[in-house]
Amino acid sequence: MKFLKLCIILFLIGYSTSGLFSQENVLRPKSPAKSIDTYEASTYKIRVGLEAGVNYNMFSQDITWLSEIPNSIFNVFSSASGISPYFAAVLDFPIQPKLGFQLRAAYDGRNYSNTYTGIVDCNMEGIIVDAPVESKITITGADLSLSALLRYDITNEFVVTAGPMFLSSLGKYQQETILTSIGDECFFDYPFDPKKQVTSTEEIENINSRFGIDLGLAYMIEVSEGVYLAPTVRFNYVFSNITDTQDEIDATRENTIGSSPITSTNAKLHALKFGIGIWF
């Protein structure tokens, strides 16, 4: 009888203890399993971003003369810079809580210019003198750029992206050249149609498709649930040449120094971007 009572008491103690543990687990809404499920449900979703801003375009190339021509106005083509708009759409695919993959497509406007004052030969009724001439070039166009980026969240606010990019021109680029005679004595088209300034425009047909790397840093500002504003700075470093090697003749000092073949190589166009995006 005592043994039976002891068994009943042990059974009741075990039953009540298991009930307490069961209740304790129910009162833990943030148990490890439940916490992970809740986080994943809210984090692992595709997001869409729209971005707009300005490109600071940076162009450079190497120009070499077969015979040196000091202060040639062709030096104006060695570099150029300028500002133009861009617009982009982005898809973000989360991989881990702080890691994701982005596909980015952008319309990149191009506008860059340079001014250089050099010396050309001026024929004053049979007398050749040095004439200072200001040369200004302005190049405009547009590219479609596609990027495949890896995204990493440094903090909840700061996000970095990096990956390869491909650029293709949207039509032909256009180049405008303005030559201005600075001195009082020399004119263009003298003596038939003397003028101090001449302007020419031509199309640059052979714009290459290019490859580069797209680096970005954004600051995410939550403006409402699930909606963010993101001030962004990006750098597009392009490995490929925008145009192929070009050969020309510099005849601006033909009467005093002589003409010389010149070669333009390693033409690169990079861009620093400042924009603001909205994410959904």
Side-chain angles (χ1 to χ4, degrees), residues 50-216:
L50 299 174
E51 190 177 309
V54 295
N55 285 323
Y56 178 66
N57 304 290
M58 297 171 286
F59 171 80
S60 65
Q61 66 179 341
D62 299 323
I63 301 178
T64 56
W65 283 256
L66 183 61
S67 301
E68 183 181 0
I69 297 182
N71 302 316
S72 169
I73 60 173
F74 276 85
N75 282 302
V76 74
F77 295 103
S78 62
S79 64
S81 60
I83 293 175
S84 56
Y86 80 86
F87 306 94
V90 192
L91 286 177
D92 184 280
F93 303 88
I95 301 173
Q96 295 179 357
K98 289 184 174 293
L99 199 64
F101 175 75
Q102 291 184 355
L103 291 177
R104 177 185 177 89
Y107 167 89
D108 282 312
R110 303 299 184 194
N111 186 312
Y112 48 99
S113 61
N114 190 25
T115 301
Y116 180 85
T117 300
I119 302 296
V120 303
D121 287 347
C122 173
N123 190 334
M124 296 181 59
E125 299 180 353
I127 300 174
I128 308 300
V129 299
D130 292 348
V133 170
E134 179 187 85
S135 176
K136 180 180 180 180
I137 60 164
T138 301
I139 298 173
T140 56
D143 289 328
L144 170 67
S145 65
L146 303 172
S147 302
L149 307 172
L150 191 65
R151 185 251 309 157
Y152 179 73
D153 299 350
I154 302 174
T155 67
N156 289 334
E157 293 81 22
F158 285 101
V159 175
V160 295
T161 56
M165 69 181 302
F166 169 79
L167 300 100
S168 180
S169 64
L170 296 172
K172 300 174 182 178
Y173 279 34
Q174 189 174 73
Q175 176 182 301
E176 180 186 67
T177 304
I178 301 175
L179 300 177
T180 304
S181 177
I182 299 175
D184 296 330
E185 299 86 2
C186 294
F187 297 84
F188 296 103
D189 298 330
Y190 183 84
F192 305 104
D193 183 21
K195 46 181 158 306
K196 281 292 187 179
Q197 187 177 88
V198 292
T199 301
S200 62
T201 301
E202 61 180 311
E203 291 182 338
I204 306 175
E205 299 184 3
N206 300 319
I207 299 295
N208 295 329
S209 298
R210 289 101 69 201
F211 291 93
I213 186 168
D214 185 352
L215 305 173

